[in-house]
Amino acid sequence: MTHPRTVFDKIWDAHVVETLPDGTCLLYIDRHLVHEVTSPQAFEGLRAAGRRVRRPDLTLAVPDHNVPTEHHAEGSAAILEPDSRLQVQTLERNVVEFGVPFIPISDARQGIVHVIGPELGASLPGMTIVCGDSHTSTHGALGALAFGIGTSEVEHVLATQTLLQRPARNLLVEVTGRLGPGVTAKDMALAIIGAIGTAGGTGHVIEYAGDAVRALDMAGRMTLCNMSIEAGARAGLIAPDETTFAYVRGRPFAPKGEAFDRAVAYWRSLVADPGAQYDRTVRIDGGEIAPMLTWGTNPEAVVPITGTTPDPDAEPDPARAAQIRRMLAYMALTPGQALEGVPVDVVFIGSCTNSRIEDMRAAAEIARNRRVAPGVRALVVPGSGLVKQQAEAEGLDRIFTEAGFEWREAGCSMCLGMNPDKLTPGQRCASTSNRNFEGRQGPGGRTHLLSPAMAAAAAITGTLTDSRRFA
Amino acid sequence: MQPFTTLSGIAAPLPRANVDTDQIIPARFLKTIARTGLGRHLFAALRYDESGAERADFILNQDPYRRAEILIAHENFGCGSSREHAPWALLDFGIRAIIAPDFADIFYNNCFKNGILPIRLPRAACDQLIADASMSANARLTIDLERQVVRRPDGEEIPFTVEALRRHCLLHGLDDIGQTLAHEAAITAHEARLANSPCLPVLGF
Ligand code: SF4
């Protein structure tokens, strides 16, 4: 291979088992993460065909979507909703039958699959990582090629440890300069989606680069890569660097000692060659990004907190104008309305986008010595049992509970309506999650996506608020 | 998987962009451990009101579209989650083909795994077909995958293309896993190459 290659090209080339005549590749998968929602039918398919899991040692399963955010010590038996309990217990049976490593609800390491993969060192630079979940893009923050797959592909990976894939196109998103004070990776992610649109990345893998990206810690990089799918991209990744290596070192499943040094030597090669070609390049000035939030029902409907909702009458494309009207009606907002000051009912700090210890700290900083506004329900849901332990060791749980936040156990929680944490119809939520689709957080619920600091600020004032006011 | 060769059926117009997977099948219906039975929850929030009664204004609640086998929509169909419950729900309802200007990647892929044919056509052609489908007496379209054409009610044919391997698998209803297992020797050779590589660690529980 002599032509200059991107990071994606290098990881891809290292994993091609075979190229079929029409250009489809058989791609080897280094790590397969499994959860309870998208796997039952895959295991059922294996069973029906009399197949085994080819490499259980490269597979790791954990329940997260259906898991209530309390009573974890009691395990799956404590799940009250029968269909949720059945799904989790089906996974528990399947991992025994097929010999797949498993982290049960009662284990301190349980958590959202995209939080625990990196946290345990199960996700590493240079790997191909898949999971039956679109936010698998999160793991690209380590410099891995990580993408979501459907259940048929879950079954395919379980049976063969490979996938049939066609190479993606390369999209370089370069964020230059420095983020302003109080501006976070979440704001960067929302600003990028606002700029390129929810289908802007379709067919592409995004490589994030530029000084503002390099300056992010690993938690911020995971937030950014997490939302690549919201821009339609297959995956998002960041070339590994010293920040990455320092993060990986010492994690339970990361290589140790001399093996780690050899790994780092290899990982250092995973940078774009000079002159590497991207199919597209988008440049954004990091210094221009303000704290962002969504006003509508898809993630490209974003504005700075200082902004207003759009006016459909000013939109020349009638289809687009109709869509704006529908979104405003669903969100109970009016054209040209200022976002700051809109009252919220619920605040949700959590999800695979923003539930790492750094996110907890950012929210706690604003919650410290303040009170949640009367009538607002505010939940803080750490992304894993280990994040929860760490936060408690730092006293963050007390800051939250003294301020009137609920401090919950790890899981997907109010990110999607699959467990007891849900919005009721008409409720407005300031949420650190990643999707604001109609009904995503519960039927009829209204979601504003924003950063942990912005969510905490909304909890304190009871309205959408520029978090920089609390700086 | 049921092979897909030609399909002549009722086409339902859904002229919306960004039809996301939460619209196609809301998360609360994902708690099943089966592949079938999701058809009644397809487009749940659009199809039923809070009391569970059908919304008369939704296309799939109207005749003849209740029996639609083809759906025609606008840009970025199937965006959002990787849930294969979305194609399962469509298939269980009876949809075998979807025509749109473009599709989200994972959804597009998931369709082929379930014998559903997603067809990309330019927006103008989609709008033309939406107009055809909206005249309910003419709502029948024919899709010929072998020849890669959509036939309008007036007989005009609109060509489309599908990647060769995907087309082959769909035409013959082939199971991917069985085909991949034929490459067993190559997979084993790849694993042997990586045995000492730092990028293939082994989880030890
Ligand atoms: S936190 Fe939300 S987006 Fe992330 S895996 Fe769970 S449900 Fe999906």
Side-chain angles (χ1 to χ4, degrees):
Chain A
M1 215 52 75
T2 51
H3 71 95
R5 294 183 298 165
T6 64
V7 181
F8 165 77
D9 297 337
K10 290 183 182 182
I11 300 176
W12 179 271
D13 291 346
H15 290 85
V16 173
V17 171
E18 223 170 323
T19 304
L20 306 181
D22 78 331
T24 304
C25 295
L26 195 59
L27 196 71
Y28 197 79
I29 302 303
D30 295 332
R31 179 68 75 235
H32 186 192
L33 303 168
V34 173
H35 65 84
E36 80 280 15
V37 181
T38 55
S39 66
Q41 295 85 353
F43 284 112
E44 187 55 41
L46 290 185
R47 202 175 285 120
R51 289 174 177 140
R52 304 296 306 159
V53 175
R54 182 186 166 88
R55 293 294 303 265
D57 56 328
L58 305 185
T59 312
L60 176 61
V62 67
D64 54 7
H65 287 63
N66 278 279
V67 168
T69 52
E70 55 189 351
H71 309 310
H72 280 198
E74 294 156 46
S76 60
I79 301 177
L80 293 177
E81 293 171 277
D83 44 2
S84 289
R85 190 171 60 241
L86 175 65
Q87 213 168 42
V88 173
Q89 293 184 337
T90 300
L91 180 62
E92 290 175 344
R93 274 195 300 276
N94 283 331
V95 295
V96 172
E97 181 179 340
F98 289 92
V100 170
F102 179 62
I103 301 178
I105 298 176
S106 54
D107 192 310
R109 298 168 301 171
Q110 181 271 340
I112 305 171
V113 64
H114 309 310
V115 173
I116 70 163
E119 178 175 80
L120 297 176
S123 309
L124 295 170
M127 278 184 163
T128 47
I129 303 170
V130 299
C131 173
D133 191 284
S134 58
H135 291 100
T136 310
S137 60
T138 312
H139 310 254
L142 291 149
L145 175 59
F147 53 93
I149 56 178
T151 297
S152 296
E153 292 184 314
V154 170
E155 185 181 338
H156 194 279
V157 177
L158 288 172
T160 71
Q161 204 58 35
T162 64
L163 272 178
L164 288 163
Q165 291 278 305
R166 297 180 70 84
R169 291 190 288 273
N170 283 288
L171 167 58
L172 179 69
V173 173
E174 195 179 352
V175 188
T176 57
R178 280 167 76 146
L179 295 180
V183 180
T184 68
K186 182 61 164 285
D187 304 306
M188 191 192 285
L190 290 170
I192 291 168
I193 299 162
I196 71 175
T198 48
T202 303
H204 292 77
V205 167
I206 300 178
E207 181 179 332
Y208 297 98
D211 290 343
V213 172
R214 287 274 147 240
L216 294 175
D217 61 16
M218 288 308 293
R221 293 180 186 190
M222 288 185 226
T223 301
L224 181 61
C225 289
N226 173 275
M227 293 200 69
S228 304
I229 184 73
E230 261 56 66
R234 288 195 198 171
L237 55 79
I238 298 171
D241 60 10
E242 296 307 322
T243 304
T244 322
F245 309 144
Y247 174 90
V248 170
R249 183 189 295 275
R251 304 238 158 225
F253 300 115
K256 301 278 172 343
E258 196 251 336
F260 181 78
D261 297 337
R262 265 191 299 133
V264 169
Y266 169 64
W267 295 339
R268 281 189 204 286
S269 73
L270 299 174
V271 291
D273 293 328
Q277 294 294 310
Y278 293 85
D279 298 278
R280 271 172 66 206
T281 299
V282 174
R283 269 193 198 83
I284 290 176
D285 180 351
E288 294 285 298
I289 300 173
M292 306 290 288
L293 81 172
T294 60
W295 60 266
T297 57
N298 71 47
E300 75 183 39
V302 293
V303 279
I305 180 65
T306 50
T308 60
T309 60
D311 179 359
D313 291 338
E315 172 58 52
D317 174 5
R320 173 91 191 114
Q323 194 190 19
I324 293 173
R325 277 191 199 96
R326 198 167 57 233
M327 292 201 289
L328 287 173
Y330 183 86
M331 293 298 290
L333 296 170
T334 53
Q337 184 175 353
L339 271 307
E340 187 156 27
V342 172
V344 300
D345 306 296
V346 177
V347 170
F348 170 56
I349 299 172
S351 90
C352 57
T353 315
N354 284 117
S355 63
R356 284 163 279 269
I357 186 67
E358 293 82 352
D359 301 309
M360 303 286 114
R361 290 178 190 141
E365 206 164 297
I366 287 177
R368 190 189 303 273
N369 299 325
R370 295 194 173 98
R371 291 287 312 165
V372 171
V376 172
R377 180 182 181 206
L379 288 83
V380 186
V381 187
S384 71
L386 296 178
V387 170
K388 181 167 183 281
Q389 278 180 1
Q390 174 69 25
E392 290 172 358
E394 296 179 17
L396 305 184
D397 58 321
R398 284 194 308 281
I399 294 175
F400 287 124
T401 50
E402 281 164 16
F405 289 82
E406 296 174 36
W407 178 246
R408 317 281 303 185
E409 295 187 78
C412 292
S413 185
M414 205 181 269
C415 178
L416 90 174
M418 280 196 80
N419 59 70
D421 303 340
K422 290 192 219 344
L423 295 182
T424 55
Q427 277 187 325
R428 185 182 301 282
C429 180
S431 176
T432 65
S433 56
N434 45 48
R435 285 196 177 129
N436 52 349
F437 299 151
E438 291 184 16
R440 168 78 178 182
Q441 296 190 283
R446 300 179 175 127
T447 304
H448 294 278
L449 302 176
L450 31 64
S451 72
M454 288 273 287
I460 302 302
T461 63
T463 67
L464 299 173
T465 300
D466 190 335
S467 56
R468 293 173 297 189
R469 293 183 193 283
F470 290 96
Chain B
M1 193 174 82
Q2 202 188 336
F4 188 115
T5 49
T6 57
L7 170 69
S8 187
I10 291 162
L14 192 67
R16 286 182 174 229
N18 299 309
V19 174
D20 61 68
T21 50
D22 282 80
Q23 282 177 48
I24 299 171
I25 183 90
R28 62 186 181 281
F29 302 117
L30 308 187
K31 300 182 187 187
T32 172
I33 57 170
R35 277 182 162 93
T36 52
L38 288 169
R40 65 179 184 279
H41 305 306
L42 177 71
F43 292 118
L46 297 171
R47 234 164 111 199
Y48 310 109
D49 66 18
E50 288 73 25
S51 73
E54 284 190 358
R55 296 181 195 272
D57 61 347
F58 188 63
I59 189 76
L60 297 181
N61 291 332
Q62 299 163 10
D63 282 318
Y65 304 110
R66 287 177 187 282
R67 288 171 283 118
E69 292 175 86
I70 302 167
L71 210 53
I72 314 165
H74 282 167
E75 289 78 6
N76 202 26
F77 191 93
C79 59
S81 93
S82 66
R83 60 186 71 161
E84 203 156 313
H85 309 69
W88 294 337
L90 287 159
L91 192 64
D92 197 61
F93 179 88
I95 302 291
R96 294 290 319 273
I98 305 162
I99 303 174
D102 52 31
F103 296 85
D105 287 324
I106 304 176
F107 177 83
Y108 185 76
N109 215 12
N110 282 341
C111 282
F112 287 99
K113 311 287 180 196
N114 291 282
I116 296 178
L117 172 62
I119 298 176
R120 295 188 184 110
L121 286 179
R123 171 67 183 263
C126 291
D127 282 335
Q128 181 65 67
L129 293 171
I130 283 172
D132 290 344
S134 302
M135 297 182 288
S136 63
N138 290 334
R140 198 166 272 275
L141 298 179
T142 301
I143 295 167
D144 184 337
L145 178 59
E146 186 78 60
R147 294 177 50 234
Q148 300 190 90
V149 292
V150 178
R151 195 154 48 250
R152 295 180 53 199
D154 67 2
E156 190 206 342
E157 292 190 338
I158 303 176
F160 65 89
T161 54
V162 174
E163 293 95 326
L165 183 66
R166 290 186 147 140
R167 178 161 156 263
H168 177 77
C169 291
L170 212 48
L171 282 171
H172 301 283
L174 294 179
D175 163 20
D176 280 353
I177 296 177
Q179 299 199 85
T180 296
L181 288 173
H183 299 270
E184 172 64 33
I187 300 172
T188 308
H190 182 89
E191 286 175 333
R193 267 201 309 282
L194 287 188
N196 295 313
S197 153
C199 48
L200 189 70
V202 168
L203 275 181
F205 272 90

